[in-house]
Amino acid sequence: QVQLVESGGGLVQPGGSLRLSCAASGFTFSSATMGWYRQAPGKERELAAVKSASGGGTNYADSVKGRFTISRDNAKNTVYLQMNSLKPEDTAVYYCNAHVFRGGSWDDYWGQGTQVTVSS
């Protein structure tokens, strides 16, 4: 079974930093596109950052460019989101996503989400 286990969320002051981790299993991690999405109260889920398999690219939402960095360690089957210069508007539940080709099509799998709260 596909499993995505997130860690690293919590409470941080404005201007601070957090690093989220997502440990993946149940699929070929190195071939999957991995992403971080977030959902703030009263808003739709949105893409924060995405990183393709080795030959692909990296993309960020305009609101996080220059502050967030997505990376992956294929040896550890783990994807990270380094978040710097955090703002209150970054407060959201952050979800790890795996975009995986299996069963003849591309499927999406999700972690359970981890809360990030930016507040003084």
Side-chain angles (χ1 to χ4, degrees):
Q1 69 285 337
V2 172
Q3 189 172 16
L4 302 172
V5 181
E6 300 157 325
S7 61
L11 175 65
V12 66
Q13 294 183 349
S17 298
L18 284 174
R19 189 177 76 158
L20 306 182
S21 299
C22 173
S25 61
F27 61 97
T28 304
F29 180 84
S30 60
S31 299
T33 295
M34 303 298 300
W36 287 96
Y37 290 71
R38 65 185 186 180
Q39 187 168 21
K43 295 185 177 180
E44 297 296 319
R45 189 176 299 186
E46 65 176 359
L47 178 70
V50 62
K51 190 171 185 65
S52 300
S54 297
T58 304
N59 197 28
Y60 300 92
D62 288 342
S63 57
V64 309
K65 286 180 180 177
R67 300 187 298 119
F68 289 14
T69 303
I70 187 171
S71 62
R72 61 194 295 165
D73 186 339
N74 288 346
K76 297 182 179 179
N77 284 7
T78 301
V79 62
Y80 306 93
L81 186 67
Q82 178 67 47
M83 304 183 292
N84 298 327
S85 302
L86 283 162
K87 305 174 181 180
E89 50 263 46
D90 296 318
T91 295
V93 178
Y94 283 72
Y95 297 90
C96 181
N97 168 262
H99 193 57
V100 182
F101 187 79
R102 62 188 303 177
S105 62
W106 289 93
D107 293 329
D108 284 292
Y109 300 91
W110 299 91
Q112 73 281 5
T114 185
Q115 178 71 46
V116 172
T117 302
V118 184
S119 175
S120 60

